[in-house]
Amino acid sequence: ELRLFLNTLVGNGNLPGAVVLLARGDKVVLHEAIAKGDVDRSASLQTDAIFRLYSMTKPLTAVAMLLLYEDGKWSFDDLLSDHLPEFRDFASRSDSLASRQPTLRELFTHTSGHGFGDTMEEIMANVERLDILGASSLVDLVGRYARLPARYEPGTRWEYSFAMDLQALIVERVTGQRYDLFLKERVFEPLGMHDTGVALTPAQDRRLVPGYARDAETGRLRHCSALEMQEIIFPIGGSSFRSTARDYARFARMLINPGSLGRTTDLPPETAELIFTNMLPQTLLEKSHNTLHYDVGGGNGFSLNGRLCIDPAKAARPVGRNTYEWAGAHGTWFWADPTNDIVFVGMTHRAMPHLEIEPLSIVSQELVYRALLG
């Protein structure tokens, strides 16, 4: 049924193609490429195609921070300014709506007071005013973020933000390494994730699929412009990485069973368990918050840079308790379900498919659990 669903979306012109990987325990149940990587060419999409992760980079950043947590380099109650002095006046400036500094715990949960705005118009105005896409480095980018005032008192709201980019700079400051090189050394190489990173080799670049968007006039898919891709050329914590379904599935499997793959032994189970631990206070769980098709509250909590289903019955979802998940703006999505030992990774290459078609993650979860659990 999952194949039929995706093929139907391709046939209707909603998607150019997709690669999906489903695993239960150590067994790969499904790893398949559907349709094309480039709709203008006859060649079929391959399972080793490389996709832009966009926000599916964020869980990678959570693990990078957890590795440093295990090394004793920070604690959840640390203040942001303890690690990034760029934000030392976050709560003291005249236009700030915060009376205190956010903690790193709040930085992980989109409750730190940071944000671009409430509406798309306000968000884009701030992005343009600060020339976010014109930043030359992670330090430059975070410096531009620091010019934005606090939007609310930390811990009182859930608002999607750029907090994961701040985490990446913390990693660089603590380690003295460029962010992607730290991840390569501590995560990608130990896990055998050889096709994951920011900079690609010429051979890998040939496997990078083009981005598509729906043309407003014709209704058909067309190649994205450089502006629509909004790619940042240096490594950041919330975006910029590329990967394959296989590589990302190895990462997701490691979350459920640390040390089970490759040479990864430096993320103990008790530390990895923090990924599957809700970090939002009950006062925020009682409210409804959302970004795109992801809602928080009503059975869905939030842990470290990703949503957590803490009460599947209340959330009316088929997944197991404490399923961790997130997605990317150009059509990548995944979840890791420790209760049922299920990992799923889906990758397509169309900008914001969540806005026009039934959310890929919602339908794929219904179909996967119907097939596996009946």
Side-chain angles (χ1 to χ4, degrees):
E1 291 187 41
L2 178 62
R3 293 186 189 93
L4 177 60
F5 168 63
L6 293 172
N7 274 302
T8 299
L9 293 179
V10 170
N12 291 340
N14 286 304
L15 298 180
V19 175
V20 292
L21 193 153
L22 169 65
R24 191 168 194 190
D26 294 327
K27 180 182 178 182
V28 175
V29 178
L30 175 69
H31 187 196
E32 188 169 315
I34 295 168
K36 297 179 180 181
D38 189 330
V39 298
D40 297 325
R41 299 181 180 179
S42 59
S44 299
L45 187 64
Q46 301 298 307
T47 55
D48 65 349
I50 295 176
F51 294 80
R52 296 164 176 87
L53 293 178
Y54 287 88
S55 283
M56 225 161 77
T57 297
K58 291 173 170 63
L60 302 178
T61 302
V63 168
M65 287 290 286
L66 281 182
L67 289 168
L68 297 181
Y69 175 81
E70 185 62 26
D71 291 344
K73 302 299 185 182
W74 63 272
S75 70
F76 283 99
D77 293 326
D78 287 352
L79 299 180
L80 173 62
S81 57
D82 292 340
H83 297 275
L84 298 181
E86 292 93 331
F87 292 89
R88 59 183 173 272
D89 65 344
F90 182 74
S92 60
R93 47 192 286 183
S94 60
D95 56 354
S96 175
L97 297 181
S99 65
R100 64 170 176 84
Q101 279 280 330
T103 64
L104 294 196
R105 185 188 307 274
E106 290 162 338
L107 204 66
F108 278 109
T109 55
H110 293 301
T111 60
S112 61
H114 296 98
F116 283 122
D118 289 317
T119 66
M120 186 57 68
E121 291 75 15
E122 185 181 6
I123 291 170
M124 294 312 297
N126 276 318
V127 168
E128 184 176 349
R129 178 171 63 85
L130 298 177
D131 190 19
I132 296 300
L133 297 178
S136 60
S137 67
L138 180 58
V139 172
D140 181 15
L141 178 66
V142 170
R144 297 177 190 222
Y145 289 155
R147 289 158 52 189
L148 289 169
R151 288 181 42 77
Y152 58 91
E153 180 74 5
T156 63
R157 286 173 57 179
W158 188 94
E159 184 175 306
Y160 186 67
S161 75
F162 47 77
M164 290 74 214
D165 296 338
L166 309 189
Q167 294 170 28
L169 186 55
I170 291 173
V171 171
E172 291 196 347
R173 295 266 170 89
V174 168
T175 65
Q177 286 182 283
R178 200 175 71 192
Y179 180 58
D180 59 328
L181 298 182
F182 173 82
L183 274 174
K184 180 179 180 181
E185 177 185 314
R186 296 289 297 272
V187 179
F188 303 155
E189 288 186 347
L191 279 177
M193 296 171 64
H194 303 304
D195 286 324
T196 303
V198 175
L200 301 179
T201 67
Q204 289 171 325
D205 197 57
R206 286 191 289 272
R207 288 190 280 132
L208 179 66
V209 294
Y212 285 91
R214 182 178 294 283
D215 188 277
E217 294 184 3
T218 67
R220 295 181 178 180
L221 295 181
R222 56 165 176 77
H223 286 281
C224 287
S225 66
L227 180 61
E228 287 172 320
M229 295 302 288
Q230 294 192 359
E231 290 190 279
I232 290 179
I233 61 174
F234 50 87
I236 63 176
S239 185
S240 77
F241 282 75
R242 295 94 180 268
S243 189
T244 63
R246 172 200 171 276
D247 272 15
Y248 208 93
R250 291 181 72 82
F251 169 77
R253 176 65 181 152
M254 181 274 294
L255 298 180
I256 292 178
N257 191 3
S260 62
L261 297 169
R263 297 181 286 107
T264 303
T265 58
D266 49 5
L267 191 65
E270 59 271 20
T271 301
E273 185 63 26
L274 294 171
I275 286 282
F276 301 104
T277 303
N278 175 59
M279 297 281 179
L280 283 183
Q282 185 61 36
T283 52
L284 289 181
L285 290 175
E286 292 170 353
K287 304 173 185 177
S288 178
H289 322 269
N290 67 80
T291 177
L292 296 179
H293 68 284
Y294 275 147
D295 60 272
V296 177
N300 293 308
F302 211 82
S303 63
L304 305 181
N305 300 353
R307 187 173 74 158
L308 200 69
C309 188
I310 54 179
D311 189 338
K314 187 174 182 179
R317 299 179 57 204
V319 299
R321 184 176 297 275
N322 292 333
T323 290
Y324 176 79
E325 65 190 320
W326 203 242
H330 277 245
T332 57
W333 75 104
F334 96 104
W335 71 85
D337 178 346
T339 300
N340 295 300
D341 205 3
I342 290 173
V343 161
F344 180 91
V345 178
M347 292 185 168
T348 185
H349 43 304
R350 205 213 118 176
M352 297 293 185
H354 328 68
L355 300 181
E356 296 178 14
I357 59 178
E358 188 71 21
L360 297 171
S361 60
I362 294 175
V363 176
S364 57
Q365 285 179 357
E366 292 289 345
L367 297 177
V368 163
Y369 285 90
R370 184 188 306 167
L372 290 183
L373 305 181

